Amino acid sequence: MPIYSEKVMEHFMNPRNVGEIENPDGVGEIGNPVCGDMMTFYIKVKDNRLEDVKFKTFGCGAAIAVSSMVSEMAMGKTLDEAREITPKRVADELEGLPKNKFHCSNLGAQALNKAIDDYLEKQAKGGKK
Amino acid sequence: MRKVYLDHAATTPLLPEVREAMLPYLGELFGNPSCLHDWGDAAREALDTAREQVARLIGASAEEIVFTGSGTESNNFAVKGLALAQQGKGKHIIVSSIEHFSVLHSAKTLEKWGFELTEVPVDKHGTVDPDEVRRQIRKDTVLISIMYANGEVGTIQPTQEIARVAKENNIPFHTDAIASIGTIPVDVKELGADVLSLAGNQFYGPKGVGALYIRKGVRIMPLLDGGIQEEGRRAGTENIPAIAGLGKAAELARENMAAHVKHLSRLRNRLLAGLPARIEHMVLTGHPENRLPGNASFCVEFIEGEGMLMLLNSQGVAVTSGSACTSRALKASHVLLAMGLPHALAQGSVLFTFGIDNSEEDVDYVIEVMPPIVERLRQMSPLYAKFSKKGKGGA
């Protein structure tokens, strides 16, 4: 039996929203190569909504599928709604992740949150938006 | 879609002749070789034949071969059995840092039982320095266990020299030759090993069977207590079908050795010449020349091995990786790390191991499908993005 669900495989084979955003409003980076997975999320915010979400990921099939799923779940959401995306919800949407990979591969929600933090921090410092 | 199996280090297919040799013992010749009737005689004959065949493959005498249930069992038996048999003399053992886990973890178990363990390092090619082994020897050293060749990176060790160092110091020497036996010629007498492990599923024999060569006169403590099968060295009713298969595989390996080495080397060299030429920042791991003929191991920078493995699999190509993500323990290969590779690079490990059924077309297919896979993963990789921004000179 394959270790990944069909949904994970589908996102791994056809990941959504891969790439970088030029002049992003927020960037969130997480992970390190020792544990194996690294993710960078880029966001563009308009009227308190995620107008665009993109990512780059170094990691296993699950990590790539998680990133893709998070980007899809977050797209168009308000910042508060996006905050509600949890690793558990991401895993559920992906029809499950292998037990041993749940934590290391499931960093997408955290990376997205960091990107939102980054955006809010820049705002507080008197950014242009 | 083309199907290309390039994971022969994991296991090899069963040769049809080997399967044929096994079948009678899965059928009417089901007897137990310990029994004194016709059924027992037939099973005993199979056992004797297989023992001769395996002995001939490595230049041993039949009575020096003990059958086991796997390569892992052979290594456990060798390391624990030799150390325990010698513990009256001392409690220090030496292994290398790139041993298979069945040796390394056996050594760590001995450590828990009160032995002291020294792990000798390897150089960047994964080679053990025999002089370093010599330097680590103490008065109480009772075992040296260094593998013949490493299955993950292919490096063949200076085993004969290490065996000589052990002999000069009167210390029993075991070599895990599981990745080598049946693939390259090994003669135990020439080599000077006291104990040597081998396994059937590495050379077109069945799974679930291994053997241990124990030179006449070497003392070893059995792992399994019970009946007096295998001259009392390995209790338990023998797995006759698998042993008969192992014997046949050994006979065929011996007959075809030279042709197989030539074939595997040619395929391997074709890949070594073709692939890194088409993929930038792809490095060979292991020794450049002194390596197993069918082994091509690489690290591809900026990407992770499991993604490569999965995308290659989607193209019908079966390979393996030493990355953390592909291991169940989620730890990068201890072999690559022992060779001094940084974690990020070890994550990009990909291992191709050829077998006798592979063809040049298989190699060309890999050379065709692999570069776009690497490119695709690199386009997703934040490490590659950083590298590209720094400028191509900044690796």
Side-chain angles (χ1 to χ4, degrees):
Chain A
M1 209 181 83
I3 62 162
Y4 291 132
S5 71
E6 276 180 33
K7 193 93 182 182
V8 169
M9 282 308 290
E10 201 270 311
H11 273 266
F12 169 71
M13 294 304 291
N14 310 290
R16 283 64 140 167
N17 308 308
V18 175
E20 291 175 37
I21 295 175
E22 259 187 65
N23 304 315
D25 293 327
V27 180
E29 216 180 293
I30 199 151
N32 64 68
V34 176
C35 73
D37 296 312
M38 294 172 75
M39 295 176 189
T40 311
F41 267 75
Y42 304 85
I43 56 170
K44 199 90 189 163
V45 182
K46 195 180 180 188
D47 301 332
N48 207 41
R49 272 185 194 279
L50 291 172
E51 189 187 44
D52 199 7
V53 181
K54 286 209 176 332
F55 74 88
K56 286 229 160 164
T57 290
F58 168 93
C60 67
I64 289 167
V66 160
S67 310
S68 167
M69 179 54 87
V70 168
S71 73
E72 203 172 66
M73 288 167 81
M75 194 73 77
K77 293 269 183 359
T78 66
L79 298 185
D80 285 345
E81 286 166 349
R83 293 277 200 201
E84 281 165 28
I85 299 170
T86 60
K88 169 85 174 66
R89 278 185 55 199
V90 176
D92 288 347
E93 286 291 323
L94 285 169
E95 292 163 2
L97 285 169
K99 220 184 211 167
N100 64 338
K101 295 210 169 183
F102 189 93
H103 292 287
C104 60
S105 66
N106 205 345
L107 299 168
Q110 250 174 293
L112 175 69
N113 258 296
K114 280 180 105 172
I116 296 173
D117 289 344
D118 181 48
Y119 163 72
L120 293 175
E121 217 169 282
K122 281 182 192 158
Q123 286 289 92
K125 279 184 191 159
K128 55 188 160 87
K129 286 193 182 172
Chain B
M1 187 174 49
R2 198 181 180 92
K3 285 278 196 184
V4 183
Y5 183 80
L6 296 177
D7 198 9
H8 292 83
T11 196
T12 51
L14 200 65
L15 278 174
E17 299 94 312
V18 173
R19 186 167 53 230
E20 281 302 314
M22 294 171 70
L23 284 176
Y25 305 99
L26 293 163
E28 56 189 292
L29 301 182
F30 62 86
N32 182 333
S34 296
C35 299
L36 301 177
H37 41 58
D38 285 358
W39 284 265
D41 289 349
R44 207 159 44 248
E45 197 185 316
L47 201 51
D48 293 344
T49 304
R51 211 183 299 282
E52 280 290 342
Q53 288 164 321
V54 171
R56 218 171 294 137
L57 175 64
I58 58 172
S61 320
E63 64 269 25
E64 294 174 312
I65 303 296
V66 174
F67 291 114
T68 66
S70 62
T72 287
E73 187 190 324
S74 293
N75 280 342
N76 269 262
F77 182 15
V79 173
K80 292 173 186 163
L82 288 169
L84 291 175
Q86 305 285 322
Q87 60 180 329
K89 290 187 191 162
K91 288 200 159 193
H92 177 239
I93 60 178
I94 298 173
V95 303
S96 87
S97 55
I98 60 160
E99 295 301 311
H100 186 264
F101 283 145
S102 52
V103 167
L104 263 186
H105 292 175
S106 290
K108 297 216 167 126
T109 296
L110 285 169
E111 220 178 2
K112 283 185 206 139
W113 292 348
F115 283 80
E116 281 180 69
L117 170 63
T118 298
E119 282 181 32
V120 291
V122 293
D123 65 13
K124 63 177 179 174
H125 292 141
T127 308
V128 174
D129 176 2
D131 286 332
E132 183 56 27
V133 175
R134 191 192 307 274
R135 276 192 289 276
Q136 295 302 333
I137 290 174
R138 313 190 320 204
K139 278 206 169 66
D140 60 342
T141 306
V142 291
L143 170 65
I144 297 172
S145 176
I146 311 274
M147 68 195 339
Y148 193 91
N150 183 286
E152 262 185 67
V153 295
T155 303
I156 299 173
Q157 301 299 336
T159 315
Q160 204 166 351
E161 287 172 58
I162 298 168
R164 198 177 314 127
V165 169
K167 200 178 180 71
E168 282 165 12
N169 290 275
N170 212 12
I171 299 165
F173 175 64
H174 164 247
T175 189
D176 165 8
I178 291 169
S180 316
I181 298 298
T183 301
I184 53 176
V186 177
D187 183 294
V188 288
K189 296 287 179 310
E190 222 171 88
L191 184 62
D194 294 306
V195 176
L196 173 148
S197 307
L198 64 98
N201 76 327
Q202 295 290 305
F203 55 99
Y204 311 93
K207 296 164 187 62
V209 66
L212 198 62
Y213 157 79
I214 306 169
R215 187 177 56 75
K216 220 172 287 173
V218 170
R219 287 176 58 223
I220 190 161
M221 177 105 62
L223 280 187
L224 301 181
D225 294 311
I228 50 163
Q229 291 88 354
E230 301 297 289
E231 303 296 322
R233 292 178 292 191
R234 203 272 188 178
T237 301
E238 300 85 343
N239 184 355
I240 299 298
I243 290 170
L246 174 64
K248 189 69 189 176
E251 182 188 302
L252 294 169
R254 183 168 164 268
E255 282 171 12
N256 302 312
M257 183 79 69
H260 287 172
V261 168
K262 204 173 151 197
H263 178 63
L264 297 187
S265 304
R266 199 175 59 227
L267 298 182
R268 193 263 322 270
N269 292 343
R270 194 176 178 89
L271 191 76
L272 293 190
L275 204 51
R278 283 168 182 79
I279 297 173
E280 276 187 17
H281 308 291
M282 177 174 190
V283 293
L284 181 74
T285 58
H287 199 281
E289 289 102 35
N290 212 358
R291 60 189 301 138
L292 290 170
N295 179 300
S297 62
F298 300 97
C299 281
V300 183
E301 283 191 71
F302 315 117
I303 59 177
E304 187 278 324
E306 191 193 273
M308 266 188 285
L309 189 160
M310 287 166 68
L311 290 172
L312 281 168
N313 187 52
S314 76
Q315 300 286 324
V317 180
V319 299
T320 198
S321 166
S323 85
C325 304
T326 48
S327 81
R328 263 189 225 165
L330 301 178
K331 281 185 184 157
S333 154
H334 69 289
V335 177
L336 297 176
L337 297 180
M339 286 159 55
L341 267 72
H343 277 272
L345 188 55
Q347 281 294 83
S349 142
V350 60
L351 170 61
F352 303 88
T353 42
F354 292 98
I356 55 178
D357 291 332
N358 290 128
S359 64
E360 290 190 347
E361 288 74 33
D362 290 339
V363 179
D364 295 343
Y365 181 67
V366 171
I367 293 173
E368 178 195 325
V369 300
M370 176 102 172
I373 288 172
V374 170
E375 185 53 30
R376 175 173 167 174
L377 290 169
R378 280 185 176 162
Q379 288 310 317
M380 267 188 242
S381 164
L383 293 176
Y384 190 61
K386 274 180 194 162
F387 166 77
S388 303
K389 274 172 201 159
K390 254 201 291 183
K392 300 282 179 193

